[in-house]
Amino acid sequence: MKTIVRRTILLVPLSLFGVCMAVVVCVPPSGAGRSFFRRWPRAVDGARVVPLSRPGHEERMNEPLATSLTAAAADVAGRVLALEQPQVVLFGHSIGATVAFEAARLLADDAVDVELVVSARQGPQCAGIAGELTHQTDAELLATVQSWGAHALDQSVQDMLIPLLRADFELSASYSWDGVRVSAPVTALSYIDDVVVDAAAVRRWSAATSASHTHLTLPGGHFAASDPTDSLIAVLRDAVSRLRSGQPRV
């Protein structure tokens, strides 16, 4: 008779063994979910890439939409903490940048070492254009977003996208920064052909951090981050390297 040996495998967080693995957490732009980052590598310099969807978007479509940008940030912060990794590069694109900024502030008291990378987004003290967009018709809104470089969509996708765009633009328009700076280093990225946010507005992130700030201009338009260039990957690789070394940027 054969003897059957049953093995019990206990899954525990790597942090219990003192293993520190940096992660790159990605927060998408208005109307989008984690698929915005589908062309990204699965890891950057060994750091796992973790794209997120906010409530009401993509695989979380059955969840209620966030009622404020700070509520969206609290959701992101909670999901970062659930990863149980002490070193996190938070990358946010467009509205995702401001969500990531607010999430980084919430994580300041949770022993999480954060590098913040904000992409194609004006500094938090700037109003942006979201307020103007909330008054557009569905057709006008879709045409505006496509003029920024978004791909043409079939009707069924448009019908799902427009309510999400409206909700996200409302969040952006109603957001007001309280002036409290983030303690994490900030790398702010503008794009040469971005017709939505100019480099001067992106440079305003320098006033939003008590740590170091760097502004870089990369090739591409407003949605260039969806298909990352070598230069964008290099920015993330540098952020991961700084976290691992514990060496502050000067």
Side-chain angles (χ1 to χ4, degrees):
M1 184 177 65
K2 291 183 178 179
T3 301
I4 299 175
V5 178
R6 291 182 172 88
R7 297 178 180 176
T8 301
I9 300 175
L10 180 62
L11 298 178
V12 295
L14 289 174
S15 56
L16 293 181
F17 295 98
V19 178
C20 295
M21 297 179 63
V23 293
V24 180
V25 176
C26 306
V27 188
S30 294
R34 66 196 306 268
S35 67
F36 180 82
F37 302 102
R38 64 188 178 276
R39 295 186 180 91
W40 281 46
R42 293 187 177 183
V44 173
D45 198 21
R48 184 162 58 103
V49 173
V50 183
L52 300 182
S53 294
R54 289 177 286 112
H57 297 67
E58 292 196 9
E59 80 279 6
R60 303 180 69 186
M61 64 184 298
N62 293 326
E63 299 179 39
L65 292 163
T67 56
S68 68
L69 194 142
T70 51
D75 176 80
V76 169
R79 298 185 74 187
V80 169
L81 290 175
L83 296 171
E84 298 188 352
Q85 299 299 333
Q87 299 177 335
V88 177
V89 176
L90 259 179
F91 176 91
H93 185 76
S94 195
I95 189 177
T98 308
V99 173
F101 166 71
E102 289 291 343
R105 294 205 303 166
L106 293 173
L107 292 167
D109 297 326
D110 288 296
V112 179
D113 193 8
V114 174
E115 282 261 350
L116 182 61
V117 181
V118 291
S119 171
R121 183 69 169 180
Q122 69 276 0
Q125 69 275 58
C126 304
I129 63 171
E132 304 169 19
L133 301 177
T134 60
H135 303 294
Q136 292 187 341
T137 66
D138 289 355
E140 290 170 338
L141 187 61
L142 191 63
T144 296
V145 174
Q146 289 181 337
S147 74
W148 299 346
H151 298 298
L153 304 169
D154 61 41
Q155 189 61 50
S156 62
V157 177
Q158 291 179 25
D159 292 342
M160 290 188 294
L161 178 63
I162 288 173
L164 296 177
L165 286 172
R166 286 199 179 282
D168 286 343
F169 289 145
E170 288 284 356
L171 289 189
S172 187
S174 63
Y175 171 75
S176 179
W177 181 40
D178 60 11
V180 178
R181 296 180 293 174
V182 70
S183 58
V186 173
T187 300
L189 306 178
S190 56
Y191 297 86
I192 294 173
D193 299 317
D194 191 343
V195 297
V196 184
V197 185
D198 61 29
V202 177
R203 290 191 190 97
R204 298 289 296 279
W205 282 99
S206 62
T209 177
S210 59
S212 59
H213 168 267
T214 299
H215 170 257
L216 300 170
T217 300
L218 303 185
H222 186 66
F223 295 115
S226 66
D227 192 3
T229 59
D230 290 344
S231 55
L232 176 52
I233 297 300
V235 169
L236 299 171
R237 186 180 296 115
D238 288 346
V240 170
S241 177
R242 285 191 297 271
L243 284 174
R244 286 177 173 157
S245 68
Q247 181 178 1
R249 181 172 53 196
V250 293

